[in-house]
Amino acid sequence: METVLLVIHLLVAVALIAVILMQRSAQDGGGLMGGSGTMGGLFTARGSANLLSRTTAILATIFISLSLILGILAGQHHKQANLTEQIAPITKTETPPLKMPELPSVPEVPISR
């Protein structure tokens, strides 16, 4: 389960990077799409900007959600142990149960002279 979520998280991250790089920059209108600002003539400059903005928002939401889910899953597997046990785990050996000394059946009281 975690592996599948991690792979999806990686794919969403790569897609998010690609979508961000395709957007126009504020200074020169460049980006990876060039100065024309259109995506191969399929959209107008404004339409492609809206599409890329929405796609970025959706991918960012999915990325943050997956990050939270993976963090919660990792926290559930975390053991509560102190630092020394995490560095060098202590092996527990079985010790035999302690034998209680036999108590006298009648209490012994010292006799005074």
Side-chain angles (χ1 to χ4, degrees), residues 24 29-30 33-41 44-45:
R24 296 176 55 167
M33 297 306 297
S36 66
T38 61
M39 295 180 65
T44 63

Side-chain angles (χ1 to χ4, degrees), residues 19-103:
V19 169
I20 289 173
L21 288 177
M22 282 193 292
Q23 293 181 10
R24 296 176 55 167
S25 66
Q27 294 175 348
D28 60 354
L32 289 181
M33 297 306 297
S36 66
T38 61
M39 295 180 65
L42 295 176
F43 302 106
T44 63
R46 185 175 214 166
S48 64
N50 288 337
L51 176 70
L52 291 174
S53 297
R54 270 192 220 127
T55 306
T56 302
I58 292 169
L59 287 174
T61 304
I62 294 170
F63 182 83
I64 291 172
S65 300
L66 283 173
S67 297
L68 290 173
I69 291 170
L70 286 170
I72 290 169
L73 289 176
Q76 289 176 350
H77 294 301
H78 179 69
K79 295 180 181 177
Q80 294 293 335
N82 60 20
L83 184 61
T84 56
E85 288 180 4
Q86 289 178 0
I87 293 172
I90 300 172
T91 58
K92 296 183 179 181
T93 58
E94 291 187 28
T95 57
L98 296 175
K99 293 183 181 179
M100 296 295 293
E102 293 183 22
L103 298 174

